[in-house]
Every structure is written in C-alpha cells, then in structure tokens.
Amino acid sequence: MSRRAPLSENKKAERKLGWLLCAPAALVMVLVTAYPIIYSVWLSLQRFDLRFPDQREFIGLENYVTVLSNEFWWTAFGVTMLITVVTVAVELVLGMGLALVMHRTLVGRGIVRTAALIPYGIVTVVAAFSWRYAWTPGTGYLANLFDGSAPLTERASSLAIIMLAEIWKTTPFMALLLMAGLALVPEDLLKAASTDGATAWQRFTKVMLPVMKPAILVALLFRTLDAFRVFDNIFVLTNGGNETSSVSMLAYNNLIRGLNLGIGSTMSVLIFITVAIIAFVFVKLFGTAAPGSDDGERR
Amino acid sequence: MADIVLDKVSKSFPDGTVAVQDVDLEIADGEFVILVGPSGCGKSTTLNMIAGLEDISSGELRIGGQRVNDKAPRDRDIAMVFQSYALYPNMTVRENMAFPLRLAKLDKATIDQKVDEAAKVLELTSLLDRKPANLSGGQRQRVAMGRAIVRQPKAFLMDEPLSNLDAKLRVQMRTVVSRLQKKLGTTTVYVTHDQTEAMTLGDRVVIMRGGAIQQVGPPQELYDHPRNLFVAGFIGSPSMNFLHAAVEDGKLRTALGDVPIGDRIRRELEGADAPRELILGIRPEHFEDAELIDDEARARGMEFTAPADIVESMGSDKYVYFTVEGQRASAAELEELAADAGADFSGGGGNLVTRLSAESPVQEGEDRRVWFNLEKIHLFDPSNGRNLTLHEGRSAGTLGD
Ligand SMILES: Nc1ncnc2c1ncn2[C@@H]1O[C@H](COP(=O)(O)OP(=O)(O)OP(=O)(O)O)[C@@H](O)[C@H]1O
Ligand SMILES: [Mg+2]
C-alpha cells in the first residue's frame, strides 16, 4: 500500500481498543522475557567468571570479539545451521506426505492422527536415550544391524543420528500444522483443476501449494526457530563430542559447566539475535502471502 | 463437441448411500439439458460422474460414442463451472482463464489470443490483471465461465452456477449463459434449483427424485403433461393445487364439488385394485372468475363458490387465495415437495391458489363464484403418484374418452 488514507475517528478508537486488549498479555510477556533478555545483555558486556568473581568488570564488546573470533563457536554455528536446514527441509517433505495421507484417510482418522503424533508426545530426553541405546554397539538393535560399529563415536554418523532423532520426533508436528493448511484448500478448487486437465502432481504444485503457502510458512517458521535451538538430542546422544556441539550446547557448557557468565551470556545473546533475524526474514516472506494482504489472496 | 449417453448409470457411496440409481439419459450433440430436483436427489453426483470426479458404480457413460467410465477428468475434455466459482486465488483473471490452456501445452501466442477473445465475449477485458479476491460475485462468475469456454471442450457441465448471485444479477447472467450456449453450440448439462432457470434455459429438462429420473422432456411438456404427482408439483410456480378426491358413483367427490369423469378414466377406475381415493391436481391459471366466462367455456368446466381470503393484484392478473373445505390430499411425494419448498402442498382443507383475469372484480373476504377447466385437470393415484389422466403421454383432463 503506497498511499495510506488518514484514519477516521472510528478507526482510531478501534486501534486504541486493540492496544488496550493486548496490554495485559504484553505486560506479562515483558515481565517474563524482557527482564532476562536485558539481564543477559548486561552480563554479556562484563568479564564475569564465577571462578574468579573478583575480576568482574565492564568490558564493553570484548566478549563478543572473543566469541566471534573463536573457531569452536563457528564450528558449533555451522553444525547448528546444518542441523536446522537439513532437518527442517526433510521434515517439510515428510510432514507434507504425512499430512496428505492423514487428510485423505477417511476411516479411523482419529486413530491415524494419534498414532502419528506419538513421537512428538514422547519427552525428547527419553526418546534421545532410546536412540542412544539403539546405536550402542553390543546392546543396541540398530548398531547390531550395522555389524556392531559405533556410529556415535564418529562425527558424520553422529550428526546423521542426531538429525534422524530430530526428524523422527518433530515430523508429526510439522504434519499437523500442514494438515491445517490442507483444510484451507477448497474441494471445488481441486475438482476444477482436475477438469481443467491437471494431473495429480500439477494439482498439488499449482493449486494446493499456493493456497497453503501461509500455513507452510508458519510451519517452517516454528520449526526453524525450534531446530536452531537444538539441545536435548545432542546432549544425550554425544554430549557435544566429536565437534557435534550446537550453539545452545556451547552456551550451556560455558554458562553452567564453565561458570563463565560473561561468555555464556554473550553466546545466548548471539543465539537470540540469530533467531530474531530468522523470524524477521520469515515475517517479511509472510508479508506477501498473509491472508488479506494487498496481493489479494483472501477469499 | 459430442453427445453424452448415460446407460443405466448408478452410484453408491462407500457408506451405502445410493445417490443415483439406473439413470438412462441421452443428451444429443449441442443440446442444453437441465437437471432439476430437490436437494440431495443426486444432481451433483450425476454431474460429477459425467465429469469423472466421481467413479461410476455401475452402468456405462459414453461421450462422443466412446466409453469413458475409466477415464480421468483430464482425458474427457469437458469443462465444469461450480457454484463456488472455484477460481484459483493466487492467479490473476488472465492466468485463471489461461490455466487449462497452459496445461494443454498450447503456445503463448495462441493462449493469449484465446483468452483475449473469451474475455471480450464476457466483458472481462479490463479485469484481466485482477486477482479473484478483488472481483464482484458477478465478475467472478464470468471468469469461471470464461475459464470453461476458452478451451472449446466437448461439453460444459455447470453445477448451480448462478445460485450465489443476487436475483437481479442471476437474471442477467441467465441470458448470458443462454446466448453463449447458443453461439457456441456446445453440449451443456446444467444443474439448478431454480424453476425459472429450468423452464427458460434448456432444450430439455430432467427431473430427478431420490437418485432416479422422474421425467425427461421439453419444459412445456413437463408442465402440461406431468407423468406423476412429483413432477406436477415440482414444476410450476405457484405450484399446482392438489385436492383429495373420492371415487363415488362414477363421480369424483371433491372440495370443489362433484367432478364428472370420462369413459377412459372410468374404465381405469373399474378394476378391482383400482384406487378409491385419488388426488386431483389443477394449476392456478386454469381457474377463472365465473363472471368472465363465456358459455362455450362454461360447458368445458364447472363452478364452485368459496370465500376469497387474499387478493394479490399483479397488474396482468390476480392471484386469489380461496379457502375450501374438505379432506387434505396426502401422498409421500407431496410431503417431500413440501419439505423441499418449505411450502404447503396439500390443498383441500387449506388454501387454493388461483390466477384470475385482472378484470375480475373479486374482493377480499367476499364469497366468489369461480370456474375451472375440466380439460386441464390431472388425477393422480396417491399410492404411486401416477398420473391417470395421461394417455399416450398426453394429458386430456378427466373427461377424455
Ligand atoms: N461422499 C459422499 N458420501 C456419502 N453420501 C454422499 C456423498 N456425497 C453425496 N452423498 C449423498 O448422495 C445424495 C446426492 O447428493 P448430491 O450432492 O448429488 O445432491 P444434489 O442433488 O446435488 O443436492 P443439492 O441440490 O443440495 O446440491 C445425497 O443424499 C448425499 O447425502
Ligand atoms: Mg448439488
């Protein structure tokens, strides 16, 4: 919208009411999130190691220089990015397949949905342990399948297993979000496409996907933000060994194990900034696809 | 272009619902056929089977002489228009109309030319770059029509295409559809709920009830010679009056007096299992103010006196509602029709709707002498709804011999 008409009195009043209605929720959010965020930023600007509490002092951006010039940070960042991109991409494809199956299933829809959601319902740490035991040579059924090798002791295979565990766990969630999107596609539209001469694949790509776009973007946003903060699976499966640490693992190790509040907070702030950037990019993408926008995708 | 033949086509859904039963229908090349019937009678299902959107449970469907039961919609070369318009929300009007052509892999220049042509016919040229969300209902409807006509398919299938429009627009679009079909000469099957559309648009009308065809014929024939109670009650607005009639001493005892019957009807009623109770049907326009009747006409009909409840002057004529005493006519068909129309179909002990000349001086509240035409009376067997006055497909009133 290039030109914006001045708001009428009515519109203004409506806006005011909108803000008033949001206020309580916004207030609670500020209390529970803004304080820790601001406190982290404050900590990240100090040299603050609990092992040497008397050396605490304000050092500006020095911690950021330390972290950003550290190769461990960048390795962890690369690992996190890799896990995020691969798992979200695979989950999108698998989740879409699963959503289509669940959408089409006419009998026992409830049971199929419940069954598909079980992995998501299991506590991540518990699931991670079961994966770890499965891949442990000698006792694990999966490790035995591969001649008793020890995949969790090598970097590439460890990462693969971490990603597998992540995908196994969150694909159902993706599928559920996508299924909500599928429900948005009117039956008549697909019938029209059929008579217009579209094959099943063309109906999917040219009719279903464009109509579902907002739902797909929501699903991708949720999952990307989630995946970027991957922690539990790595913690249980490799504990960050063989350069499989994610940025969250690294922050945890510095904060809790290393007791270095300054460096740990710096990492947390950097993770926060990255996540904010990802969210911003997605929201920009939404802008042109959201229902009711100028593009006229609303019906 | 092609003819469409349904040969004993049936459809039963997995849950056991039989939506369409043994439908036999031959639609000639270029013909405009209307499917009408109450809600849930299987019109859409029939159309979807022709389109290939629903599997055919049994029977055979031929388009252009070729069996197409197992062909996918895209291989049948038919175009469909939906009540919801089903426009692709992410595409512009131009892209919507070009979609079937793009799928058919035509080259860009041909596509543009065809789309422009169709847009001109439907007056959409100035809207080509808009998205469906920014169009009015009537415009969307025209885009849906445009998408159907660009590809010059073998047949058009339309499922209540005008039902979402307001009354005025519907009348306008009706003429557009009619003109378009005549111009293109494409075989068309058109589903509607609307009486007027059914009567004015089609070459032939198919009346369905509970998944079965009741009668097929040109609109006027269905109106004049309904084969059964259901068709008689469904076609016509206001609908036919139905009265209870008891067969006694070679006459019919009705709320309007004793109606004489001719030899042929008498013979039909002589059988041991012949019904003793009938339903007499007569359309509103076959009544007239007795004052305005000449002697010749008087001989062809009979008269009764009843109080006029309501007089509605339409300018060209008057609708007058009379109260008549007597038993209610009852039959399964009448109840079904009443449920569908939300109206009361059982005259006798209720209202009688008549259409009298505008010259009639009838006043509300007064007792009025009214004449009705015996040649236009229909008699129905309440047990199966059959029209007993029909002889060789023609209706000849009660007096025919
Ligand atoms: N998928 C389905 N499964 C089971 N029964 C169905 C299904 N689709 C339709 N029916 C039933 O088949 C019958 C015919 O449906 P259809 O949609 O053809 O009716 P219609 O004549 O088009 O009605 P309307 O005028 O309301 O559109 C109805 O009784 C309906 O309930
Ligand atoms: Mg229908």
Side-chain angles (χ1 to χ4, degrees), chain B residues 13-20 37-46 48 54 83 159-160 191-193 208:
Chain B
F13 284 104
D15 67 355
T17 318
V18 179
V20 175
S39 191
C41 71
K43 306 179 295 285
S44 297
T45 308
T46 307
N48 286 344
E54 291 280 6
Q83 180 176 355
D159 195 348
E160 312 200 21
V191 167
T192 181
H193 245 114
M208 294 184 69

Side-chain angles (χ1 to χ4, degrees), chain A residues 71-88:
Chain A
E71 66 175 298
F72 286 115
W73 166 260
W74 286 112
T75 310
F77 192 83
V79 166
T80 312
M81 272 300 186
L82 177 79
I83 292 177
T84 304
V85 170
V86 173
T87 58
V88 171

